[in-house]
Amino acid sequence: MTNPLIAVKHLKKTFEKNEVLKDINGEINAGQVVCIIGPSGSGKSTLLRCINQLERPTSGIVDFDGTDLVQESDQDLAKLGEKIGMVFQNFNLFPNMSVISNLKLAPMRVKGLSDEEATKIGMKYLTSVGLADKAEAYPNSLSGGQKQRVAIARALAMEPQVLFFDEPTSALDPENVGEVLKVMKTLADGTMTMVVVTHEMNFAKQVSDEIWFMADGVIQEKNTPAELFTNPQNPKTQDFIGKVLAD
């Protein structure tokens, strides 16, 4: 049995007196796709941000490929950050830079690649998301779906070991959602390890190896999509699934 790529143990996060994450435990294997679902305010995004250390946990362990990220210095975390890609709700592209410049920035600054090397890698991933023709365009000229596909290509350009998505379609108009989910499905069908906070239940059903259902700062249930959606065990899961399937 190989060790998991990510192991979360007794993770807690408190903001002042508000305990947002309460004793979270879970494992993610290389190549696995885990979707995290649950009602708003359940701690899903905070969990994602604590795993990749954008938010420092109050206590617990986040073992990433044999290293406890919670114990790492900010300097060491910066190096590990190359291995973890993050796609945010709101794209976070630099509006004053062309699409290809957005993709080249981190590989050149963080990895020390030359402009030529970074451009080659950037174009590879822009092509993979169907936007090679937008390399010289600026973000403000793109649709929301195109911006999010650029954001995915930018994360891929660092060639990380795992990609995190924080509700990547929630800021999009309905007509743009499908194009982003299609790119994510292609990634999921490959070997990319993915952790996705999402409210797109059909997507979670189709691509997940495992679904974590969160409520009240706790992972209430973990299971395969088939089991979780057809035979949920936890009363909170049953209530949530009943409501989302009724919509």
Side-chain angles (χ1 to χ4, degrees):
M1 181 82 180
T2 56
N3 291 326
L5 179 61
I6 300 170
V8 178
K9 301 171 186 175
H10 304 298
L11 191 70
K12 295 183 181 181
K13 179 62 182 179
T14 303
F15 294 99
E16 295 180 348
K17 293 183 179 178
N18 182 20
E19 193 176 28
V20 178
L21 299 178
K22 307 166 186 174
D23 199 27
I24 301 288
N25 296 276
E27 294 184 348
I28 299 154
N29 295 315
Q32 190 176 30
V33 179
V34 172
C35 281
I36 305 174
I37 65 170
S40 296
S42 57
K44 306 183 298 294
S45 293
T46 302
L47 174 57
L48 208 62
R49 292 174 68 85
C50 282
I51 294 175
N52 71 4
Q53 302 299 301
L54 288 175
E55 199 74 64
R56 284 294 211 167
T58 303
S59 62
I61 294 169
V62 178
D63 186 303
F64 180 81
D65 203 18
T67 299
D68 181 9
L69 302 187
V70 178
Q71 300 300 320
E72 291 291 284
S73 68
D74 289 343
Q75 191 173 2
D76 289 332
L77 279 177
K79 295 175 197 165
L80 279 162
E82 297 175 35
K83 301 179 181 180
I84 301 174
M86 182 79 175
V87 179
F88 299 90
Q89 276 181 21
N90 294 315
F91 328 128
N92 289 15
L93 300 174
F94 294 106
N96 60 327
M97 298 170 66
S98 68
V99 164
I100 190 64
S101 295
N102 267 278
L103 266 71
K104 291 191 298 185
L105 185 64
M108 289 172 69
R109 279 196 182 171
V110 179
K111 288 188 162 184
L113 298 189
S114 68
D115 187 280
E116 186 181 0
E117 290 170 318
T119 300
K120 186 177 177 183
I121 289 171
M123 288 307 301
K124 170 185 170 184
Y125 289 110
L126 268 186
T127 302
S128 76
V129 301
L131 290 173
D133 61 327
K134 299 293 185 183
E136 299 303 330
Y138 282 78
N140 289 344
S141 70
L142 305 179
S143 70
Q146 288 171 330
K147 288 176 187 174
Q148 194 59 294
R149 284 191 281 155
V150 170
I152 293 170
R154 180 183 58 182
L156 289 169
M158 288 295 285
E159 303 194 315
Q161 286 179 256
V162 58
L163 261 187
F164 287 179
F165 295 84
D166 187 7
E167 299 203 10
T169 59
S170 66
L172 301 180
D173 294 329
E175 64 267 24
N176 294 147
V177 169
E179 67 190 68
V180 173
L181 294 181
K182 184 179 178 183
V183 168
M184 292 173 65
K185 283 175 186 171
T186 302
L187 288 172
D189 289 340
T191 57
M192 177 58 70
T193 309
M194 293 167 57
V195 185
V196 186
V197 170
T198 185
H199 59 275
E200 299 284 347
M201 294 302 131
N202 283 331
F203 173 80
K205 276 186 204 177
Q206 291 169 21
V207 306
S208 302
D209 298 300
E210 185 171 67
I211 294 179
W212 297 359
F213 170 71
M214 285 190 71
D216 304 323
V218 174
I219 297 176
Q220 303 283 349
E221 187 165 349
K222 298 187 191 108
N223 217 324
T224 63
E227 280 297 310
L228 192 122
F229 279 102
T230 60
N231 188 30
Q233 300 298 305
N234 183 290
K236 289 182 187 293
T237 319
Q238 292 167 1
D239 182 56
F240 179 79
I241 296 298
K243 284 176 180 171
V244 297
L245 294 185
D247 289 341

